[in-house]
Amino acid sequence: MAVDKEREKSNNSKQNNNVDIVSMREKYRQERDKRIRTDGLDQYNLTNGEFSSYVKDPFVAPGFSRQALTDEVEVAVIGAGFGGLIAAAKLREAGVKDIRLIDQAGDVGGTWYWNRFPGAKCDTESYIYLPLLEELNYTPTEKYISGAEVWEYCRSIATKYDLYDNACFQTEVTELRWDEEINRWVVSTDRGDRMLARYVCMSNGILHRPKLPGVPGVSSFKGHSFHTCRWDYDYTGGDLTEPLVGLEGKRVAIIGTGATGIQCIPRVAESAGHLYVFQRTPSTVEERNNYPTDVEWMNKQKPGWHQQRLDNFNILTSGGQQQEDLVNDGWTDGNRRLTKLMQAEGANTDLQTIVQWMETIDFQKMDEIRARVDSIVTDKTTAEALKPYYRYWCKRPCFHDDYLKCFNQDSVTLVDTKGKGVERISDHALHVDGVAYEVDCLIFATGFDFLPEFSRKTGYDVIGKGGVELTDKWDAGMATLFGIQTPGFPNCFVLSNSQSAFSVNFPHTLAEQSLHIAHVIGHAVAEQYSVINVSDKAAAEWAKKIIEQPTDKQQFLNECTPGYINKESEKGEVNRQSRAFGDPVEYFKILRSWRAEGSLKGVELE
Ligand code: NDP
């Protein structure tokens, strides 16, 4: 029998702990299997068509209009979140004067503009999450700051680098087309603009298109409903910190217990008459351990400290070793445990042993997370339902001090859907296991469309030389230089994670890519070149490197419970060519040494 065989194979799997790894593996497998669905990624509704009201911007005054623009800029930066802001800042530092930010939001900030749900906080340490800290000479107030502080910081970047004057907000790009006659990009928008840009730089985001569960009846709900990334404070009252008085006496449902649900559920629980939390899969919830910034410590940091801290975190979360763990938090905990074990066990550190140790550490950590649930949640059935059974990195880890506690309130009910999700929605109720839960308000904390094809992510297509669309070009076999430049798309730069790196601290990736883009464009501007292309050979070589990356991560993901990270466990051909480079430490090293070498290898300038 398979289980017996596995038990035999892992005789030594009970080392250094009391975890029965074989039984646990089996339990994880069962938990995964009961969640696998035949409709995979298609189970969701995108927020277009009949659901487009869910993406209306609630943060701007209605009725904005302006004259259509037909002017010319040197660089059009599409997307004014961290990627666009850092790229624009680095371009300024590289001597580019004429920069225009374009974004559909009413201001800069991207994720942090849209996600203003109550309780929003940054789960990554502020001293590494916020980019350009030394340039702005900014001291974050806490180790983990509020979403409001992150957004305010985004605005300070735009002010410091003088990016507001020329910006176009509430403007959605509808097409980018390369005009070969004049060597300019024509930027068309939903405001009737046809601007010209010598260079375009796109940072469209990776988790920004909200999705709704494709539950039968989702469009028939007659109560009030919204998605967490368009929080309706007109309805709920309160704000990021003040009580949501509009929910007093109301029956509220929240679907979703991912990183967003974990943060907003305790805030809704404070005010709602009754809160029903509809859970499909529990998240890991560890303690937050936040504290105010020690300003004296911050003032003592030497120039260059920020990059050093970024690199230290990046190496540790990529499985590397460092003398010291500077961030020293939940994200780096697994690595600390492994290092300790390696030091204790000494010599026998071949790869297979390390992989085994990592699994043991994972089980121990998950056991601690499950024990934490028992220590906080008083009702045994509820506690059991809140325990996650999967490998730690299968889902985005969460950290919160009040989430589990709120299930001890009489006014909060966990509706555990046992991995199946909400069955159906009717006029005024959500249905699970034959029970109708009547509610006044339904909040979707159901996340975002992840890893879709290029034009689905951006909402527009990019048409390069010879009328070729970037989506088609990438679908046919993505080949880029570092994921940033594509042959046939001159003067066009993309910040994303396809064929680039995926670092746990995403702004770090954006910062490294921005430095790179500013280096290339800065060089062309200084030397008065007008067209920057990339050779087919260089792009093919990079694509080969991507394809040749080991696939062990895929194996790990296949064994995970479904979620956006593993494309809802969809089977089928993995597109190895468009995936991330893999190790971000190596990727950043490659970019840095390419720039240091100085010849812009693979880039063609006219
Ligand atoms: P997620 O995709 O992580 O979570 C969506 C939730 O909805 C899951 O719990 C999912 O369950 C649940 N769900 C989906 N369909 C159904 C259904 N039919 N019935 C019941 N439940 C359902 O989205 P989030 O918005 O929570 O987080 C997205 C990402 O945003 C995070 O991973 C993180 O990267 C980022 N984020 C970052 C923060 C920060 O601190 N920097 C804060 C908040 C978010 P299931 O797990 O079973 O699929």
Side-chain angles (χ1 to χ4, degrees), residues 77-131:
V77 177
I78 300 160
F82 269 138
L85 286 169
I86 310 169
K90 291 292 151 198
L91 283 163
R92 277 268 193 268
E93 288 173 0
V96 179
K97 294 198 170 57
D98 189 14
I99 299 171
R100 171 171 292 157
L101 293 179
I102 306 174
D103 201 296
Q104 55 182 296
D107 202 336
V108 300
T111 294
W112 300 100
Y113 172 89
W114 296 112
N115 287 280
R116 301 191 207 182
F117 55 83
K121 275 210 162 222
C122 184
D123 277 332
T124 310
E125 186 198 67
S126 59
Y127 320 133
I128 55 164
Y129 186 79
L130 297 182

Side-chain angles (χ1 to χ4, degrees), residues 58 242 283 324 368 409 470 481 487 516 559:
E242 291 301 311
S283 284
E324 196 185 348
E368 288 166 25
Q409 282 176 233
L470 191 57
L481 187 56
H516 195 82
E559 286 168 15

Side-chain angles (χ1 to χ4, degrees), residues 257-278:
T257 52
T260 300
I262 301 298
Q263 293 188 338
C264 69
I265 283 166
R267 290 292 323 282
V268 174
E270 272 167 27
S271 302
H274 200 96
L275 170 63
Y276 296 96
V277 176
F278 290 84

Side-chain angles (χ1 to χ4, degrees), residues 369-403:
I369 288 167
R370 291 186 283 263
R372 181 165 185 262
V373 179
D374 276 330
S375 71
I376 296 173
V377 179
T378 48
D379 178 74
K380 293 289 162 241
T381 312
T382 307
E384 209 44 49
L386 285 164
K387 291 180 189 170
Y389 287 95
Y390 44 80
R391 291 282 296 263
Y392 184 73
W393 289 106
C394 283
K395 283 204 178 278
R396 156 69 151 73
C398 298
F399 308 88
H400 209 287
D401 295 336
D402 299 323
Y403 175 73

Side-chain angles (χ1 to χ4, degrees), residues 133 146 186 255 297 333 373 598:
L133 270 185
S146 69
V186 182
I255 304 182
W297 165 80
D333 178 49
V373 179

Side-chain angles (χ1 to χ4, degrees), residues 35 37 43-44 112 117 121-124 129 207 211 213-215 227-228 255-261 263 278-281 283 395-396 417 420-422 445-448 562-564 568:
R35 289 176 168 82
R37 309 164 50 122
Q43 68 181 279
Y44 294 105
W112 300 100
F117 55 83
K121 275 210 162 222
C122 184
D123 277 332
T124 310
Y129 186 79
L207 284 166
K211 57 183 166 55
V215 176
H227 191 279
T228 46
I255 304 182
T257 52
T260 300
Q263 293 188 338
F278 290 84
Q279 173 189 269
R280 191 164 67 178
T281 311
S283 284
K395 283 204 178 278
R396 156 69 151 73
T417 67
K420 299 290 173 215
V422 173
T446 42
F448 304 86
Y564 79 83
E568 304 292 342

